[in-house]
């Protein structure tokens, strides 16, 4: 993968010339010995993944993620050294000196998907809060975005319906948000409760009054002059500590297959988050995979402790659903998912 600005050329089937810029290489066993040439050096693969950065003046940095490479140069003396995984080296084009550098694999683009505007630099998680803001999961989304759980309409800011609104008791597909499959207002009395565009059903969906109070948000929750998204001195709903704020009765489903499609070869291995209850009245919390309950909290309030969520994912899993419900009045029945992430390998 070559990232602009860069100047490069293909020399042979197993050699590339990088005059300047960044290049990331993942070498199969069949391509052992693949070589990156620079104006003053050669980097030879010895079974590995590595990145090469060539500056405008010819300086070279080599970062080895796996395996090892051989660095060869003839600047003011012969250089022939091996660089092993977890290490990085800097070659000065003026002096020929080689110095240690801290490994920084995230400076290299490893996969580029122009259709989804995704540049993956080896991040180990997709941020679902960013996805709600129409981002790609890597920080490109907009903060303080709300999704109406009934019709999927997206609005700027945190939206409340103080007297409550009656939902349509149907699943709404949201094609305008990447990686968000759809939303719904859960009500088990209006069986079945569909939770995906494929028709997956939440078979044990509790009965509710079919009303919702607030919309699903990736931003600040400020009510009555008090900041609600605080936990152990940390403010959530920010780019540093993203969160998804939800109120009963609402549900949102994410499409894991769409995420895999923009990162071919990467595996989605788990959903991780911390659920923080903030309402003074109880709420039931569910996390579903393909309609099956994988995590559940019953009648949890702000008096209860936060709960850690870690749900393993298989390559067959398609839909992840977050649901909050209540069978009583809607007053103060809320919470937020702190740092809700899909873990990548």
């Amino acid at each position: 993968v070559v990232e602009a600005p860069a100047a490069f050329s293909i020399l042979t089937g197993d050699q590339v010339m990088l005059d300047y810029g960044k290049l990331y290489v993942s070498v199969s066993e069949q391509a052992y010995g693949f070589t990156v040439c620079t104006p003053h050096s050669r980097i030879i693969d010895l079974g590995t993944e590595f990145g090469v950065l060539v500056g405008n003046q010819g300086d070279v940095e080599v970062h080895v993620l796996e395996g090892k490479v051989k660095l060869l140069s003839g600047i003011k003396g012969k250089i022939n050294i091996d660089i092993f995984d977890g290490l990085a080296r800097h070659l000065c084009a003026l002096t020929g000196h080689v110095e240690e550098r801290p490994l920084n694999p995230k400076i290299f683009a490893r996969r580029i998907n122009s259709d989804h505007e995704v540049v993956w630099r080896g991040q180990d998680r997709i941020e679902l809060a960013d996805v709600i803001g129409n981002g790609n999961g890597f920080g490109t989304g907009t903060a303080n975005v709300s999704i109406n759980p009934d019709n999927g309409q997206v609005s700027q800011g945190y939206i409340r319906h103080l007297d409550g609104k009656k939902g349509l008791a149907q699943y709404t597909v949201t094609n305008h948000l990447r990686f968000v499959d759809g939303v719904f207002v859960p009500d088990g009395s209006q069986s079945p409760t569909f939770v995906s565009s494929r028709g997956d059903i939440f078979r044990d969906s509790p009965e509710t009054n079919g009303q919702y109070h607030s919309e699903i948000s990736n931003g600040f929750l400020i009510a009555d002059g008090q900041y609600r998204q605080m936990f152990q001195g940390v403010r959530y709903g920010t780019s540093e500590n993203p969160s998804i704020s939800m109120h009963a009765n609402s549900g949102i489903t994410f499409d894991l297959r769409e995420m895999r499609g923009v990162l071919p070869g990467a595996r989605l291995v788990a959903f991780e988050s911390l659920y923080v209850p903030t309402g003074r009245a109880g709420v039931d919390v569910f996390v579903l995979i393909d309609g099956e309950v994988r995590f559940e909290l019953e009648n949890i309030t702000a008096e209860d402790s936060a709960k850690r969520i870690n749900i393993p994912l298989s390559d067959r899993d398609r839909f992840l659903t977050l649901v909050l419900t209540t069978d009583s009045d809607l007053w103060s029945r809320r919470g937020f998912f702190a740092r809700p992430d899909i873990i990548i390998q």
Side-chain angles (χ1 to χ4, degrees):
V1 179
V2 182
E3 182 179 2
F8 70 99
S9 56
I10 306 300
L11 301 180
T12 67
D14 60 0
Q15 291 189 67
V16 61
M17 178 71 187
L18 182 64
D19 295 296
Y20 67 86
K22 297 177 185 177
L23 181 146
Y24 170 78
V25 182
S26 178
V27 184
S28 65
E29 292 183 3
Q30 294 82 356
Y32 183 91
F34 179 84
T35 301
V36 178
C37 302
T38 80
H40 303 290
S41 64
R42 286 186 297 150
I43 300 98
I44 303 174
D45 160 70
L46 299 177
T48 190
E49 292 184 39
F50 64 97
V52 179
L53 188 160
V54 181
N56 291 333
Q57 304 303 316
D59 287 9
V60 175
E61 279 195 22
V62 182
H63 297 249
V64 181
L65 284 68
E66 292 186 18
K68 67 177 180 178
V69 301
K70 184 177 291 293
L71 173 62
L72 303 175
S73 179
I75 308 172
K76 297 187 177 180
K78 187 175 182 180
I79 296 172
N80 184 340
I81 62 172
D82 290 340
I83 308 174
F84 295 88
D85 59 354
L87 301 177
R89 295 291 185 267
H90 176 269
L91 171 65
C92 178
L94 181 63
T95 66
H97 292 162
V98 176
E99 299 178 349
E100 293 185 5
R101 287 287 190 273
L103 180 72
N104 186 4
K106 292 184 180 179
I107 65 176
F108 299 100
R110 301 196 204 178
R111 293 185 179 89
I112 297 175
N113 187 313
S114 299
D115 291 339
H116 291 270
E117 299 179 358
V118 171
V119 178
W120 185 53
R121 300 181 183 276
Q123 297 97 321
D124 63 354
R125 61 196 61 227
I126 297 172
E127 298 177 358
L128 296 185
D130 182 69
V131 169
I132 286 181
N134 198 27
N136 58 23
F138 302 121
T140 64
T142 303
N144 299 316
V145 170
S146 292
I147 305 175
N148 186 304
D150 194 32
N151 58 27
Q153 180 177 341
V154 176
S155 304
Q156 189 65 39
Y158 179 74
I159 308 298
R160 291 185 294 169
H161 306 278
L162 295 180
D163 297 327
K165 292 191 69 174
K166 184 71 173 179
L168 297 175
Q170 66 183 23
Y171 186 81
T172 300
V173 176
T174 53
N175 293 321
H176 50 289
L177 287 174
R178 70 183 77 187
F179 306 149
V180 175
D181 181 69
V183 293
F184 58 99
V185 177
D187 184 3
S189 66
Q190 301 291 321
S191 184
T193 299
F194 290 99
V195 295
S196 78
S197 58
R198 186 175 62 184
D200 295 278
I201 297 174
F202 182 9
R203 299 190 181 280
D204 296 320
S205 178
E207 292 188 7
T208 74
N209 61 11
Q211 293 187 340
Y212 62 99
H213 177 280
S214 302
E215 301 189 0
I216 302 165
S217 171
N218 73 338
F220 300 153
L221 171 52
I222 301 175
D224 305 327
Q226 299 184 37
Y227 194 89
R228 303 294 192 187
Q229 287 188 288
M230 295 287 295
F231 179 67
Q232 295 184 342
V234 177
R235 175 178 291 181
Y236 287 89
T238 66
S239 58
E240 295 80 13
N241 295 290
S243 66
I244 297 175
S245 176
M246 295 180 66
H247 194 288
N249 294 295
S250 60
I252 183 169
T253 297
F254 300 89
D255 192 331
L256 303 176
R257 188 177 71 179
E258 288 295 313
M259 298 179 195
R260 296 185 184 102
V262 301
L263 296 173
R267 295 187 62 240
L268 311 184
V269 297
F271 168 67
E272 289 186 356
S273 184
L274 182 72
Y275 180 77
V276 182
T278 57
R280 286 170 282 180
V283 66
D284 297 332
V285 181
F286 302 90
V287 181
L288 293 74
I289 303 295
D290 295 339
E292 300 295 325
V293 176
R294 297 286 187 89
F295 176 88
E296 180 178 355
L297 298 171
E298 184 177 353
N299 198 35
I300 187 170
T301 74
E303 299 297 320
D304 298 304
S305 60
K307 304 298 182 181
R308 179 67 60 184
I309 306 171
N310 189 317
I311 300 174
L313 298 174
S314 75
D315 295 337
R316 299 183 303 275
D317 294 332
R318 169 74 186 274
F319 296 107
L320 167 74
T321 304
L322 309 179
V323 189
L324 267 64
T325 68
T326 182
D327 61 356
S328 303
D329 65 86
L330 292 176
W331 179 79
S332 191
R333 298 181 185 273
R334 59 178 176 265
F336 65 91
F337 293 86
R339 301 193 65 85
D341 297 328
I342 300 295
I343 307 304
I344 307 172
Q345 274 188 358

